[in-house]
Amino acid sequence: MYLQFHEACPRDIFEARRAVELTIVELAAERIDEDGVVMLREALAREEHLQESGGHLGSNSLHLLIADLTGNPALRVFLEVMARLTPEIKPVEQDAVEGRQSAVRHAHGRIVDAIIAKDASLAKHRMLRHLQGIGRYLEAGERVDRDSGGVPEPG
């Protein structure tokens, strides 16, 4: 409500989300323990199962788990709110769905690998690349909404 009152557009929210997520992934990589490693691996397996069983694209659940691993509940809440305010754009064509699933799975796996290795710099780099991809996808969806009401244009 507050963000709507101040006319924050999806791009503004996503920009803030990107800044928060980079801090989150850095802290998670610095603070990860063996329980966190297990939780991350289980989350990746659940995400892959969901993708294979129902066309699930990917979700914010891994991002929220990474936030939990920081031990900072405020970061978790901030990310959860911004994730809910980030529009979800689903591809119409099955090839596009499968391509996005593969890209998300690959990005999430590489981010998790960096966190488990406690390489905060690499984790931030990989998260930034992933978020840039999401940003491009959201921008393509905005063009569709604005221009044609159809399928996102290629970036």
Side-chain angles (χ1 to χ4, degrees), residues 21-22 25 63 111 123-131:
E21 286 219 58
L22 293 177
V25 78
H63 293 252
I111 293 164
K124 280 178 69 173
H125 171 74
R126 289 177 174 174
M127 180 62 81
L128 178 59
R129 296 281 309 239
H130 177 48
L131 293 171

Side-chain angles (χ1 to χ4, degrees), residues 8-118:
C9 69
R11 183 173 292 137
D12 297 332
I13 294 166
F14 192 73
E15 184 177 281
R17 177 180 172 176
R18 184 171 43 237
V20 168
E21 286 219 58
L22 293 177
T23 298
I24 285 170
V25 78
E26 179 178 28
L27 291 173
E30 292 170 358
R31 298 174 181 175
I32 188 86
D33 60 16
E34 284 304 312
D35 290 338
V37 170
V38 170
M39 292 182 340
L40 285 173
R41 289 188 173 137
E42 288 174 350
L44 285 176
R46 272 192 310 275
E47 184 172 79
E48 184 173 358
H49 175 73
L50 285 171
Q51 286 181 343
E52 290 173 354
S53 66
H56 179 77
L57 293 173
S59 69
N60 291 316
S61 62
L62 181 70
H63 293 252
L64 295 173
L65 172 58
I66 294 168
D68 288 337
L69 295 176
T70 69
N72 184 327
L75 288 172
R76 168 54 148 97
V77 170
F78 295 153
L79 178 58
E80 186 170 3
V81 168
M82 288 184 279
R84 287 183 182 183
L85 294 172
T86 302
E88 185 174 340
I89 301 165
K90 297 181 180 180
V92 175
E93 297 177 13
Q94 187 59 32
D95 287 348
V97 169
E98 291 170 4
R100 180 153 179 235
Q101 286 174 327
S102 177
V104 167
R105 196 166 44 245
H106 178 76
H108 283 179
R110 290 178 52 82
I111 293 164
V112 166
D113 289 346
I115 293 170
I116 289 172
K118 296 182 175 263

